[in-house]
Amino acid sequence: MTIAAVRTHRLTAPLHTPFVTALRRATTVDTLVVEVVDADGRSGFGEAPQVWQVTGASVAGAEACVRELLAPTLTGRDPDDLTARCAEVRRAVAGNEAARCAVDVALHDLAARRLGVPLVRLLGGTRLRVPTDITLAAGDATEVAAAARRRQAEGFGVLKVKVGTDAAGDLDRVRAVRAAVGGGARIRLDANQGWTPREAVRVIRGIEDAGLDVELVEQPVDRRDLDGLAWVSDRVQTPILADESVFDLRDLVEMIRRRAADLVNVKLAKCGGLSTARTLLEVAAAHGVGTVVGSMMESQVGIGAAASLAAAHPGTAVADLDAAWWLARSPVAGGIRYDAASVVLPDSPGLGITSIFPK
């Protein structure tokens, strides 16, 4: 049995609500879905989201990488030799994490389909429900508090508040959210690199002094400033979660060496797929570093893969997998769905996706 074809599909899906962070404002998810097809006509799917401001990945760039390098590498090869195929993908091209991720996930999806098992079982797990947080887009204190009340009423118990757009007003935003939800929800913050180290310490200490009970603060400073990240971690009590600072294993090792953060957010489109993500989770755990499985703004394809990983390899904190919840409509048939604050995985082979609706 061989891989007969590797295809690409450009997808655009509107969001029901603008997604606003310290880095960008999004109204659509623009992404590339990769389809790996075996000689019997079975297909596995993976996703390469376009995230200019974080990974630098684009739909056009990912498509060129897949078509020109990764597809020729895989065509004619045995899809059941999964470890070897994923290693070939990693060696074929430098960088291009999103493109490598899409192909790596598609290979895993195809392998699970060929075995007739859900992807989570291929990864060593059995759970079909994964709790997730929900993001509150950046806005003024009144807007964010109102969104917090709505999400809490919908059943979400972990609220991720986007901050970092205005350090002077961030304490008021957090105070407003805590007042809106009381003690019935956990609050975590994501600054998306929006603060300087001094601003981060000032804001976080203010939150601590006010007793606002924040679970963690994600990526408070520029991703390249590991010294600044470590400086912040040493001066606050609230756990610090590294996101943009850690793409691959070398980044994680350096973060651990410098003791720059307490936790790491592992995302498939940052590290290049499920193969590398599992290594990151294992290395972090071995060194006492907490973990969160997260995602970019992705469709049900990428979220299904990340949720399967989180189900098989649970992090130390609730997963960050609400991205497909923001979609006004799904660009695929089948796959994951949301039930209040849980991602529900399909009990069907692979990712459970039956068809896609290209742009």
Side-chain angles (χ1 to χ4, degrees):
M1 183 58 64
T2 62
I3 294 172
V6 179
R7 302 168 182 155
T8 60
H9 310 274
R10 296 189 180 203
L11 304 184
T12 294
L15 305 183
H16 56 67
T17 306
F19 187 81
V20 184
T21 76
L23 292 175
R24 61 176 180 147
R25 182 180 190 275
T27 57
T28 62
V29 165
D30 300 297
T31 195
L32 183 78
V33 170
V34 172
E35 180 183 7
V36 177
V37 187
D38 70 13
D40 285 339
R42 283 171 293 207
S43 294
F45 300 98
E47 181 169 3
Q50 178 168 279
V51 196
W52 292 106
Q53 295 86 350
V54 180
T55 64
S58 68
V59 169
E63 187 170 50
C65 179
V66 172
R67 287 184 172 181
E68 296 178 23
L69 290 170
L70 301 182
T73 298
L74 295 176
T75 302
R77 308 286 279 168
D78 183 354
D80 292 332
D81 198 354
L82 181 61
T83 300
R85 297 294 81 78
C86 291
E88 289 165 356
V89 170
R90 290 195 299 274
R91 291 193 299 265
V93 59
N96 288 278
E97 293 85 3
R100 289 191 287 113
C101 167
V103 174
D104 176 279
V105 169
L107 287 168
H108 279 81
D109 185 26
L110 179 58
R113 288 171 189 262
R114 288 173 57 79
L115 291 171
V117 299
L119 177 58
V120 63
R121 288 190 178 273
L122 183 75
L123 298 177
T126 59
R127 290 192 304 150
L128 295 178
R129 296 179 71 92
V130 179
T132 182
D133 64 8
I134 189 70
T135 302
L136 306 180
D140 64 35
T142 301
E143 293 170 339
V144 178
R149 282 189 290 269
R150 291 194 297 271
R151 300 295 88 84
Q152 185 182 37
E154 292 165 358
F156 289 97
V158 183
L159 308 177
K160 177 174 172 177
V161 184
K162 290 292 188 179
V163 293
T165 56
D166 167 28
D170 281 333
L171 179 56
D172 289 338
R173 291 181 182 88
V174 180
R175 197 189 307 273
V177 170
R178 178 53 74 197
V181 302
R186 274 182 279 170
I187 296 174
R188 53 178 61 167
L189 309 182
D190 186 1
N192 286 115
Q193 312 177 63
W195 295 326
T196 67
R198 290 186 182 277
E199 287 173 338
V201 170
R202 184 167 63 250
V203 174
I204 297 169
R205 283 183 176 174
I207 289 167
E208 293 170 347
D209 291 345
L212 298 178
D213 190 20
V214 165
E215 176 191 21
L216 58 86
V217 176
E218 184 172 0
Q219 199 61 48
V221 301
D222 186 275
R223 69 181 185 86
R224 292 171 291 268
D225 189 7
L226 278 186
D227 289 336
L229 191 63
W231 191 84
V232 173
S233 294
D234 284 343
R235 286 162 177 78
V236 300
Q237 297 299 313
T238 304
I240 300 300
L241 169 65
D243 179 7
E244 291 94 337
S245 288
V246 178
F247 274 53
D248 57 19
L249 185 57
R250 289 186 180 182
D251 292 339
L252 177 60
V253 169
E254 186 64 14
M255 189 209 84
I256 293 169
R257 188 183 72 80
R258 298 198 199 187
R259 299 182 180 178
D262 303 288
L263 307 95
V264 61
N265 193 337
V266 176
K267 298 180 179 179
L268 302 183
K270 277 194 310 178
C271 70
L274 289 163
S275 302
T276 302
R278 296 170 78 181
T279 301
L280 292 175
L281 292 171
E282 291 167 0
V283 170
H287 289 82
V289 173
T291 55
V292 174
V293 175
S295 74
M296 304 301 178
M297 288 302 289
E298 303 177 45
S299 77
Q300 283 77 359
V301 178
I303 298 302
S308 298
L309 175 67
H313 300 270
T316 58
V318 169
D320 179 25
L321 297 175
D322 63 319
W325 175 91
W326 291 77
L327 297 179
R329 57 173 176 79
S330 174
V332 303
I336 63 104
R337 62 181 176 86
Y338 289 89
D339 179 20
S342 291
V343 180
V344 181
L345 294 164
D347 191 11
S348 53
L351 291 170
I353 293 168
T354 56
S355 60
I356 59 174
F357 312 117
K359 179 179 177 180

